[in-house]
Amino acid sequence: MATKKEEILAQCIADVKAERASVEDCLAKYPRLRKELEPLLKIALAIEPPPEVSPSPTFKARARARLLAQIHAQRPVTKGRRLRYISWTPRERRFSMVAIVIAIIVALAAIGGGTVYASQDALPGDVLYPVKTTIEDARLFFAFSDEAKAGTYLAIAGTRLDELSRLPGERSRFVERLMERYRYNLERGLDFAEQRIEQGGNASGLLARFQERLAHHQEVLQTVYEQVPEEAQPAIEHAINVSGQGLERANRLRARAHLENAAQRLARVSEMAQAGRMDEVIELLGEYDEDLASFVEAASETGDVELLLELACERLDLVFVDVLAIVPDEARSAIEDAQAKTMKGFDEATEAVDRGQDLKDAWQEFEVEWEEFMPQWEGEMEPGSEKWQDAWQEFKTERGHSQLVPTPPIP
Amino acid sequence: MEQIEPAEIEALLIEQAAKGDAQSFARLYDLNVDRVYRHIFYRVSDIGVAEDLTQEVFLKGWQALHRYKRTGSPFVAWLLTIAHNLVIDHYRARKRETSLEASILPSDSATTPQQIAEVRWEQRELERAIMQLRPEQQLVIVLRFIDGFEYSEIAALLRKSEGAVRVIQHRALKELRRILGKEIG
């Protein structure tokens, strides 16, 4: 929930735009806020929509035709994601769910368990290879959660690499297709991991597995690159790039997963505070600290550190705004403490990264400094005591912290 | 005869498109392409780039349609968030903050060449400043002031409370003030 001045600003903008009031009317209504409101109001009112700009009819028609052509060429994975590409060839054929199930049942009945087992070592070009890929489709079909799907796609991507490493030289014509299937399965796996994060699930463990496997894939591909004939090397190079990009994406997603864990933890802090369960509030805030440290560690492994810090700052700041709007007074100080630490920490971490310092090191240094200044909730100082307030003031003065939390914490 | 509301038609088209009906999605394209293009053009000020990104928005929209949930935000607002991400990617790829050299036409209220020049200058300064905001602040400012969405619609789209959207707006305006003050100073 916004504080009063943010609501007032929004209301003034709406009133002036709707010509229900003039700027002067609004300022006269809130004389104490005049100094802050006036420039913000003027800027807001100066932002004008551009004059009507329309795309040319030729562009619209051309783009429409191209869109339809692309849709037909690349049918999407539709709602519910139950339709699967089950052919292993690049020209993917779609089967309906029913067709997949029937195909699997018929296939299993016809070939028997021994054949299924024997097919596990099959390579492209072997008679049993289609059996192997059909079994994989069955595994995907019966993987119901996003996490299970992500894990299954990752495993299948690994299988394609394993096949590549065992592929005899005379079958090098399959290299490119295997690499294409590797890319496809890897990306689909990461799509499902991302979807799990977006839907509020905990994906940090899953993404740690992606990181570990992708690091292994890079090693395997490097070895294979040195063994394959020259004409197959470009495909392997491409796969090394794909794997590297996948690893970078997994790193970013893992950082996001930790960030979401932190945000959800804060939401639970709010629930516990409202229920008056202060012990659990303190415990959750401790876990929140660990989430932050995990986020920082994961973010430091990406090439997008600053962007992730910015994202985290905005995401968590808004959660704090909502949490602080409803928590009872007895929990307010502890939560403001966590808010101040988060915001100050991210600010300092960003500056440290700008200076070229390692993010993890910078965060650890900040934590040490914070601990030196800040009273501990379960420590010697009584929250709200004179000593405690002095510590706050000292920290704010020495660290330029006063802009982060406008009012001292209320114990 | 009972009149079907445009929102109902859109909901039906979305439902059909989500089931894989390309023609329904093409109708959604017809209904929304102008606004998507306008939003992108405002931010990139280049016809060619705006056309390329507009096409990409709809293709990505089609591919991600299963993720669109009717949370109270209009379908076009969802498309505009895709546009927002593509614009950011575009600038990141170009490794520069903004290009607003192509002309944005002056407002209707300016009539003399001098007035036109002044309005253009002010708008360009503001546009440049908006492009320097954090991505989420940019999105809120553009959706609110350029595309004219309500707080409730932006809140639904960003999955935040209306209060949080007003907080972002307030911070964004303060940041704009700081940027503009620095540039003028």
Side-chain angles (χ1 to χ4, degrees):
Chain A
M1 193 181 290
T3 59
K4 205 177 170 194
K5 65 182 173 186
E6 286 130 7
E7 299 290 349
I8 289 171
L9 174 67
Q11 190 58 52
C12 281
I13 293 169
D15 286 346
V16 176
K17 277 192 176 280
E19 298 182 350
R20 288 191 293 266
S22 67
V23 172
E24 197 45 50
D25 292 340
C26 275
L27 298 176
K29 201 170 165 187
Y30 305 103
R32 284 185 187 174
L33 290 174
R34 171 182 278 271
K35 203 174 162 190
E36 181 175 351
L37 269 185
E38 191 172 11
L40 301 187
L41 210 44
K42 283 185 176 164
I43 289 171
L45 296 170
I47 305 172
E48 290 179 3
E52 284 301 324
V53 183
S54 298
S56 71
T58 317
F59 160 73
K60 280 164 70 170
R62 202 180 57 228
R64 191 183 199 275
R66 199 172 294 164
L67 176 69
L68 280 169
Q70 283 173 317
I71 287 174
H72 288 303
Q74 185 197 346
R75 305 293 295 188
V77 178
T78 57
K79 196 177 182 181
R81 298 188 176 211
R82 293 284 191 249
L83 299 180
R84 293 276 160 255
Y85 299 125
I86 73 164
S87 165
W88 89 286
T89 58
R91 182 180 289 174
E92 294 157 326
R93 287 173 285 137
R94 287 197 308 162
F95 284 65
S96 71
M97 281 188 289
V98 176
I100 292 172
V101 174
I102 292 171
I104 291 165
I105 293 169
V106 170
L108 290 178
I111 60 188
T115 312
V116 171
Y117 180 77
S119 74
Q120 295 314 296
D121 289 332
L123 291 172
D126 287 347
V127 177
L128 287 180
Y129 194 72
V131 176
K132 182 179 182 177
T133 54
T134 304
I135 300 301
E136 287 172 352
D137 291 331
R139 284 171 59 200
L140 283 170
F141 179 75
F142 290 108
F144 294 114
S145 68
D146 287 341
E147 185 170 16
K149 284 190 178 80
T152 307
Y153 274 113
L154 174 64
I156 295 174
T159 305
R160 296 292 88 86
L161 273 194
D162 172 60
E163 289 162 3
L164 183 75
S165 66
R166 294 188 292 116
L167 201 64
E170 66 272 17
R171 293 194 206 176
S172 61
R173 65 185 184 281
F174 291 109
V175 167
E176 203 167 326
R177 283 198 271 173
L178 273 175
M179 287 301 87
E180 176 52 27
R181 299 316 295 164
Y182 170 70
R183 181 198 60 76
Y184 172 78
N185 284 293
L186 186 58
E187 286 179 0
R188 297 293 292 129
L190 286 165
D191 284 346
F192 278 108
E194 185 165 9
Q195 188 161 296
R196 181 162 169 78
I197 296 171
E198 284 173 1
Q199 292 178 351
N202 185 344
S204 49
L206 172 67
L207 286 158
R209 188 145 49 99
F210 265 92
Q211 286 177 307
E212 185 262 315
R213 294 316 301 159
L214 279 163
H216 176 67
H217 291 179
Q218 296 255 294
E219 287 172 21
V220 171
L221 283 164
Q222 203 57 50
T223 310
V224 171
Y225 181 80
E226 286 153 19
Q227 293 169 352
V228 293
E230 206 170 311
E231 63 270 21
Q233 283 184 343
I236 307 296
E237 266 177 36
H238 176 62
I240 291 173
N241 286 337
V242 167
S243 173
Q245 285 162 8
L247 184 58
E248 176 64 19
R249 188 177 167 201
N251 290 344
R252 278 198 305 274
L253 286 176
R254 192 172 173 213
R256 270 183 59 196
H258 284 300
L259 175 62
E260 283 311 307
N261 289 350
Q264 285 174 22
R265 195 94 60 191
L266 281 181
R268 282 179 57 211
V269 165
S270 178
E271 283 169 28
M272 291 301 121
Q274 285 179 82
R277 291 155 69 174
M278 281 304 292
D279 285 351
E280 290 184 52
V281 166
I282 302 302
E283 193 177 324
L284 282 169
L285 286 174
E287 289 169 7
Y288 166 79
D289 256 6
E290 289 168 20
D291 292 331
L292 281 193
S294 301
F295 163 75
V296 165
E297 189 178 344
S300 69
E301 289 171 21
T302 73
D304 247 343
V305 178
E306 285 178 335
L307 196 71
L308 281 164
L309 283 170
E310 198 173 291
L311 174 78
C313 195
E314 290 189 356
R315 173 85 176 94
L316 296 175
D317 193 21
L318 289 172
V319 180
F320 275 117
V321 168
D322 282 346
V323 169
L324 285 168
I326 52 173
V327 293
D329 282 350
E330 60 267 28
R332 180 171 292 273
S333 298
I335 294 168
E336 283 183 337
D337 181 0
Q339 180 193 29
K341 181 176 178 183
T342 307
M343 297 305 139
K344 189 68 189 161
F346 285 157
D347 273 357
E348 297 216 348
T350 305
E351 284 171 20
V353 171
D354 285 346
R355 291 194 304 270
Q357 194 180 351
D358 179 77
L359 178 61
K360 271 190 291 184
D361 293 346
W363 189 262
Q364 278 167 8
E365 280 173 26
F366 169 74
E367 291 221 271
V368 171
E369 287 174 8
W370 181 272
E371 295 305 324
E372 282 174 4
F373 280 106
M374 286 306 299
Q376 292 300 293
W377 281 93
E378 292 164 306
E380 293 174 2
M381 270 186 277
E382 186 66 27
S385 68
E386 203 174 323
K387 196 175 170 188
W388 190 91
Q389 292 286 5
D390 287 346
W392 251 106
Q393 289 303 330
E394 188 185 355
F395 186 84
K396 287 200 291 185
T397 307
E398 297 209 12
R399 309 291 294 167
H401 172 60
S402 55
Q403 288 183 343
L404 290 169
V405 181
T407 51
I410 305 160
Chain B
M1 209 168 89
E2 198 182 340
Q3 193 81 16
I4 303 176
E5 293 290 324
E8 287 179 63
I9 294 173
E10 189 177 77
L12 280 171
L13 289 172
I14 293 166
E15 194 183 323
Q16 289 304 310
K19 287 177 184 165
D21 179 9
Q23 284 305 325
S24 294
F25 193 73
R27 282 290 299 133
L28 289 167
Y29 166 88
D30 295 337
L31 292 171
N32 295 298
V33 64
D34 285 7
R35 281 192 78 179
V36 170
Y37 176 88
R38 186 163 171 250
H39 174 97
I40 295 175
F41 184 79
Y42 178 82
R43 300 183 64 185
V44 299
S45 295
D46 181 299
I47 292 172
V49 174
E51 288 184 350
D52 286 349
L53 294 184
T54 303
Q55 285 189 68
E56 213 175 328
V57 165
F58 283 94
L59 187 61
K60 281 192 180 294
W62 165 256
Q63 288 166 339
L65 198 57
H66 59 276
R67 289 193 197 169
Y68 172 67
K69 288 177 190 151
R70 295 191 64 79
T71 53
S73 62
F75 182 64
V76 69
W78 180 70
L79 291 173
L80 293 183
T81 57
I82 299 176
H84 168 76
N85 291 331
L86 288 173
V87 168
I88 289 185
D89 287 348
H90 164 73
Y91 281 125
R92 198 176 291 156
R94 298 262 300 262
K95 292 192 186 301
R96 59 179 184 163
E97 287 182 343
T98 181
S99 165
L100 292 161
E101 292 311 309
S103 63
I104 295 278
L105 296 173
S107 104
D108 293 341
S109 58
T111 49
T112 69
Q114 190 183 348
Q115 282 173 318
I116 289 170
E118 281 171 10
V119 170
R120 274 179 64 171
W121 186 84
E122 282 173 13
Q123 283 301 308
R124 280 191 190 183
E125 289 306 298
L126 253 176
E127 288 155 12
R128 279 200 189 93
I130 290 170
M131 297 308 169
Q132 291 177 46
L133 295 174
R134 289 178 171 181
E136 192 169 52
Q137 292 176 342
Q138 264 186 49
L139 187 59
V140 167
I141 292 293
V142 174
L143 287 178
R144 178 78 188 125
F145 295 107
I146 306 300
D147 295 306
F149 287 104
E150 298 296 330
Y151 293 112
S152 57
E153 292 172 328
I154 302 172
L157 187 73
L158 301 182
R159 295 184 195 171
K160 296 184 191 302
S161 65
E162 284 186 46
V165 173
R166 285 191 272 270
V167 170
I168 298 171
Q169 174 183 267
H170 182 259
R171 287 178 186 167
L173 290 171
K174 277 176 86 171
E175 184 61 13
L176 282 178
R177 185 188 173 199
R178 190 190 65 76
I179 295 167
L180 291 168
K182 198 165 70 179
E183 283 180 0
I184 291 163

